Amino acid sequence: MTTKTDEQLMQLYALGDMAAFTLLYNRHKGGLYRYFIRQVRDKSLAEDLYQDVWNKVIDSAKTYQPSAKFTTWLYTLAHRKMIDQVRHLNVVDRVIVGVDSQDSAEFAVSGEQPVDIEQTRNAEALKSCLTKLPQMQLDTFMLKEEAGLSGNDIALVLGASLEATKSRLRYAYQSLRECISLRTGKVVA
């Protein structure tokens, strides 16, 4: 069953095959979770959004149509969830004066422990630099690096042109290289 595509696994799950869902979930759980944790920088909120998306996948199984790659569909759900969350936070911020969501900003670059001080410094630099990216560049970067989506798929998820997607990705990489170089004192190629 491991040779089946994501789309085939989703269709098998819709027919009641729980092993297909388990395999599909295991393929995408890490990338999807990292997508949320790096976007919201709050572990609890990231876990809630992550669960909401998987619940949507489960609820949509019977009506799922493989018109696009499964990963494109999955990250479109995730992106829409992020947009809903941002809208919700904007409303909350207008109601509650003085809320600073950065007070609890905490996230990991990966699930692994850094091996040495240089890796720790580089990871901290990356975390800091990611927070400085404009939201559209961050979205594009995360979909490329965490989800492994192609430029065309990212454009579909974000509802942007391929040219705009490529441009955002190029600027994101450029900004990250410059920022990391400044923070670590090393030129990043």
Side-chain angles (χ1 to χ4, degrees), residues 12 17 24 31 44 67 75 82 89 95 113 115 126 133 177:
L12 289 170
D17 186 342
L24 193 62
S44 177
S67 57
Y75 282 92
M82 285 298 307
L89 290 177
V95 174
Q113 291 295 325
V115 174
L126 178 60
L133 285 179
R177 277 192 294 273

Side-chain angles (χ1 to χ4, degrees), residues 99-119:
V99 171
D100 184 6
S101 62
Q102 294 301 315
D103 288 343
S104 63
E106 181 179 319
F107 66 103
V109 171
S110 73
E112 300 175 6
Q113 291 295 325
V115 174
D116 61 24
I117 293 172
E118 185 173 344
Q119 277 187 314

Side-chain angles (χ1 to χ4, degrees), residues 1-22:
M1 186 174 308
T2 58
T3 60
K4 299 228 183 272
T5 66
D6 293 338
E7 295 77 20
Q8 291 169 328
L9 291 172
M10 188 64 177
Q11 290 175 320
L12 289 170
Y13 172 62
L15 297 173
D17 186 342
M18 287 305 296
F21 178 79
T22 300

